[in-house]
């Protein structure tokens, strides 16, 4: 049988695992690295069978933890799924999945660096590797180069939080934003390409830091170049939001038109100012006009239900007089939203605070 490694060996091999963890971090993966070693018999050198790091994201594989990848490599090298006498060095305490796989491989020893208090299966939460009720146990040594291993994790997640803050869209104190989970049924009910055409912006003087959301559906490419195409903006009703026009949007894009479906401020996925008096026709029209003027179209067809005619005509006037963009208004009847399950109208309004715009209707002109 091979000899077990010494404390000096443990520090050396853990340093190699740490190098693997750094490769994971550089690839945007959680920084966990592993090295699998077959210790040499007396007078013989150890054999490194595998080096691996976390790759679940890279490989689109939820099982691609560093330990699992190391086991697969080592088994290929030895031509045997049993790795008797071998030792694994990993920078983070193994999870339950990996711990069970290590038992199946019949490893002699597992050495880990930092403990994992939330999912660790080598003693922190459960102890699969040492459970006497199972038909095999593996010797465990924890805490080797623990500070260095923990520092890798802390640095990685601190950077992840920093990046998230840098890309986050801040919310004004006087507004609310619908939680993502409240809208999840919408995306589940629609093909993936609908979510891909979802956009938001907080740019512009009129928005003043609030977030505007819209759907931008391009024309269907088939024969579109042979048709007379237009750019449409469909305004939802005062108690609805953008999915009101799902059916019509599909029809118009099939005819070769570009279709924009905005959520007015206070509705859908746009921010929702809390005070009813915020909502005036002039303010809504100014936000829409500034947004549309920056989208590169010279002419817009503005459509919506009769209830939005005052807003639609005011928007047309602003586009023409203040932004030099041609626009016309058209009343549209009978929206079709058959693709959505019952209750979709209320998804963006999880509590009364989200309903200021609806309660304020009909909005004053100014």
């Amino acid at each position: 049988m091979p000899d077990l490694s010494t404390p000096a060996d443990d520090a050396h091999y853990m340093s190699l695992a740490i190098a693997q963890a750094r490769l994971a971090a550089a690839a945007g993966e959680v920084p966990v690295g592993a090295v699998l070693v077959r210790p040499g018999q007396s007078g013989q050198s150890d054999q490194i069978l595998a080096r691996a790091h976390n790759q679940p994201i890279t490989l689109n594989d939820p099982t691609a933890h560093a330990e699992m990848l190391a086991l697969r490599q080592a088994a290929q090298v030895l031509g045997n799924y049993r790795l008797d006498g071998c030792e694994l060095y990993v920078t983070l305490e193994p999870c339950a999945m990996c711990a069970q796989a290590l038992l199946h491989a019949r490893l002699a020893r597992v050495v880990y660096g930092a403990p994992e208090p939330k999912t660790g299966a080598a003693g922190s939460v459960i102890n699969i590797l040492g459970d006497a009720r199972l038909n095999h146990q593996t010797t465990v040594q924890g805490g080797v180069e623990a500070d260095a291993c923990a520092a890798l994790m802390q640095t990685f997640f601190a950077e992840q939080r920093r990046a998230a803050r840098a890309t986050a869209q801040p919310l004004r104190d006087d507004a609310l934003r619908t939680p993502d989970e409240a809208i999840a049924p919408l995306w589940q009910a629609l093909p993936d390409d609908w979510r891909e055409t979802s956009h938001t912006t907080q740019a512009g003087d009129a928005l003043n830091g609030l977030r505007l959301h819209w759907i931008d559906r391009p024309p269907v490419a088939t024969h579109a170049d042979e048709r007379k195409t237009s750019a449409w903006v469909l305004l939802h009703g005062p108690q609805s939001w953008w999915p009101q026009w799902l059916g019509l949007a599909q029809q118009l894009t099939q005819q070769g038109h570009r279709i924009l479906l905005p959520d007015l401020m206070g509705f859908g996925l746009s921010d929702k100012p809390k005070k009813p008096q915020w909502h005036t026709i002039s303010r809504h029209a100014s936000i829409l006009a500034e947004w549309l003027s920056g989208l590169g179209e010279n002419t817009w067809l503005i459509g919506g239900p009769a209830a939005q005619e005052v807003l639609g005509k005011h928007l047309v006037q602003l586009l023409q007089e203040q932004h030099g963009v041609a626009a016309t208004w058209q009343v549209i009847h009978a929206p079709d939203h058959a693709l959505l399950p019952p209750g979709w109208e209320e998804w963006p309004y999880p509590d009364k605070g989200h309903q200021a715009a609806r309660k304020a209707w009909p909005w004053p002109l100014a």
Side-chain angles (χ1 to χ4, degrees):
M1 290 290 293
D3 298 328
L4 293 179
S5 299
T6 67
D9 295 329
D10 288 350
H12 169 68
Y13 290 125
M14 189 60 73
S15 71
L16 300 182
I18 289 173
Q20 288 294 310
R22 292 195 177 101
L23 293 177
E29 303 275 4
V30 175
V32 180
V35 172
L36 204 149
V37 178
R38 181 167 66 174
Q41 297 183 12
S42 298
Q44 295 182 334
S45 299
D46 298 345
Q47 181 183 5
I48 297 177
L49 300 176
R51 305 172 194 240
H53 58 268
N54 268 11
Q55 296 191 71
I57 299 171
T58 304
L59 299 179
N60 294 314
D61 180 357
T63 72
H65 289 194
E67 302 97 312
M68 301 292 285
L69 297 178
L71 287 175
R72 292 167 189 164
Q73 291 178 32
Q76 290 297 313
V77 171
L78 296 181
N80 193 337
Y81 73 100
R82 296 296 196 200
L83 304 176
D84 295 304
C86 295
E87 303 180 0
L88 178 84
Y89 295 84
V90 60
T91 58
L92 186 69
E93 181 181 358
C95 68
M97 173 185 72
C98 295
Q100 189 64 60
L102 298 172
L103 285 183
H104 282 311
R106 297 295 190 263
L107 291 186
R109 186 165 174 256
V110 172
V111 180
Y112 71 83
E116 174 45 271
K118 294 182 179 180
T119 62
S124 290
V125 178
I126 55 176
N127 188 9
I128 291 176
L129 294 173
D131 194 325
R133 294 170 296 180
L134 301 177
N135 65 342
H136 179 75
Q137 291 79 44
T138 294
T139 300
V140 174
Q141 174 67 55
V144 175
E145 301 295 326
D147 290 344
C149 295
L152 277 174
M153 299 291 289
Q154 293 163 359
T155 300
F156 175 80
F157 285 110
E159 177 59 25
Q160 293 286 301
R161 290 190 294 270
R162 186 204 64 75
R165 287 193 298 269
T167 58
Q169 296 178 319
L171 178 64
R172 275 178 24 179
D173 292 339
D174 61 346
L176 295 171
R177 186 171 295 165
T178 300
D180 291 342
E181 56 268 25
I183 306 298
L186 170 70
W187 305 124
Q188 293 168 2
L190 297 177
D192 290 342
D193 68 323
W194 279 92
R195 190 164 193 170
E196 293 170 2
T197 57
S198 173
H199 304 275
T200 62
T201 184
Q202 291 179 263
D205 294 335
L207 277 172
N208 192 24
L210 292 169
R211 186 180 79 174
L212 176 72
H213 171 265
W214 74 97
I215 298 292
D216 189 345
R217 301 294 292 177
V220 174
T222 305
H223 304 306
D225 57 335
E226 300 175 6
R227 303 173 181 176
K228 181 176 176 59
T229 62
S230 301
W232 280 86
V233 181
L234 302 180
L235 304 181
H236 59 74
Q239 300 300 320
S240 191
W241 55 306
W242 76 260
Q244 174 179 352
W245 300 113
L246 271 173
L248 180 60
Q250 288 182 317
Q251 178 184 336
L252 291 175
T253 54
Q254 288 291 336
Q255 295 172 1
H257 303 292
R258 179 188 183 187
I259 307 299
L260 270 64
L261 307 174
D263 281 323
L264 300 177
M265 301 307 300
F267 298 87
L269 301 181
S270 291
D271 283 352
K272 300 172 179 61
K274 298 175 185 178
K275 296 186 179 298
Q277 60 266 35
W278 185 95
H279 298 279
T280 68
I281 295 291
S282 296
R283 176 170 277 145
H284 281 274
S286 295
I287 288 172
L288 292 172
E290 187 176 57
W291 162 62
L292 288 173
S293 67
L295 294 182
E297 295 281 356
N298 295 321
T299 303
W300 292 103
L301 297 175
I302 314 295
Q308 294 291 32
E309 187 165 17
V310 176
L311 174 61
K313 289 184 175 180
H314 198 64
L315 171 58
V316 167
Q317 182 180 358
L318 288 180
L319 285 170
Q320 292 173 343
E321 296 179 358
Q322 296 188 12
H323 299 280
V325 176
T328 57
W329 163 256
Q330 179 177 330
V331 173
I332 302 176
H333 301 284
D336 178 11
H337 38 72
L339 289 174
L340 294 180
W344 65 270
E345 296 95 337
E346 301 303 316
W347 290 343
Y349 315 105
D351 58 49
K352 293 181 179 179
H354 289 81
Q355 301 194 37
R358 301 170 100 188
K359 292 178 179 178
W361 181 261
W363 307 323
L365 182 61

